[in-house]
Amino acid sequence: MSGKRNGGLALIAGTGALPGLLAGALDAQGEGFVLAEMEGFPASVAGQDPVRFRVERLVPFLDDLLARGVRRVVFAGAVRRPRLDPSAIDAGTAALLPRLMAAMQAGDDATLRAVIGIFEERGLEVVGAEAVLPELVPGPGILTGAPTEADSKDAARAASIVAALGSVDVGQGAVVAQGLCLAVEALPGTDAMLDWVAITGAGLRPDPSGAKGVFYKAPKPGQDRRVDLPALGPETVARAAAAGLAGIVWEAGGVICLSRAEMVADAEAAGLFLWARDPGTEP
């Protein structure tokens, strides 16, 4: 990669595979960009020298982006809420802290909306990852395999559970088998949930010869889909297979698929289906 440090777009990168995919796409497109990362959450994007920032000095960071010619911003990758150091706060950022702290107390979605608002007020347009790499977010359709009628019913049940979880800002995923919710996603995340199902799920299914169950993923209701879209990848396929599930289902247009070709190949090898489910699908 070229390691460009200036351009019309900034990639605010967290951990995980997504920042590297987007940086590679931008570099291949020849688009200059600024890679930035929050201190303590290294993006590990090969060939790049990131601009590092702290929440305590958010205003100087935004001023720096504008000075570099940045007008659009993409958030990609995972971060956790940092511990703030009061001694590091500058005067400009101090004026924003009451707003940010109130949003943090209201949950992750409120925090992200507050952050987006601050960026936009400075004249920076926040866009989703699909603006850089549209194929990351599949539209409706079955990518591989063939869900049964029982799988479809489990998917519908899981979709209703995830919608309920998301409405209270808890999680974006659930595992349902034979109509029973085996697990829901909470703070430990998708991997921990699927690992738990792998250990305990077999004994929870009423009919050992019945439907194996599905893992369902979707954004939270009312979520700003420019940031923090749920993501799936080859590791998700491996864990779903280890959990003995029949397949993975997600809301079409609302979930990022990392390394889609590898996901499909791995799912076919494991005998799993992959289904980008239209949210308007009848139960």
Side-chain angles (χ1 to χ4, degrees), residues 93-170:
T93 305
L96 299 174
L97 279 185
R99 176 179 172 185
L100 284 172
M101 296 303 292
M104 287 180 182
Q105 292 175 359
D108 290 343
D109 287 349
T111 302
L112 290 171
R113 283 194 294 270
V115 170
I116 289 172
I118 290 169
F119 273 71
E120 291 180 332
E121 288 163 12
R122 306 289 290 192
L124 295 165
E125 179 189 6
V126 177
V127 299
E130 67 274 15
V132 175
L133 206 55
E135 59 266 31
L136 280 173
V137 183
I142 296 173
L143 278 65
T144 188
T148 66
E149 182 179 351
D151 295 328
S152 296
K153 290 180 179 178
D154 281 343
R157 169 75 170 142
S160 65
I161 291 169
V162 170
L165 288 174
S167 68
V168 289
D169 200 11
V170 171

Side-chain angles (χ1 to χ4, degrees), residues 13 17 31 61 74 82 98 112 139 141 147 150 157 176 185 190 196 204 210 215 222 256 260 268 270 275:
E31 181 172 351
F61 169 61
V74 176
L112 290 171
R157 169 75 170 142
V176 171
E185 181 185 286
T190 295
W196 187 87
L204 298 177
F215 165 48
I256 291 170
R260 190 195 304 193
E268 290 175 347
W275 178 16

Side-chain angles (χ1 to χ4, degrees), residues 190-192 194-195 198 234-245 272:
T190 295
D191 290 352
L194 290 175
D195 289 348
E235 186 64 28
T236 317
V237 174
R239 282 186 154 87
L245 301 178
L272 271 67

Side-chain angles (χ1 to χ4, degrees), residues 77-98:
V79 296
R80 295 188 303 274
R81 298 186 192 184
R83 294 181 178 178
L84 301 182
D85 178 2
S87 67
I89 300 171
D90 67 278
T93 305
L96 299 174
L97 279 185

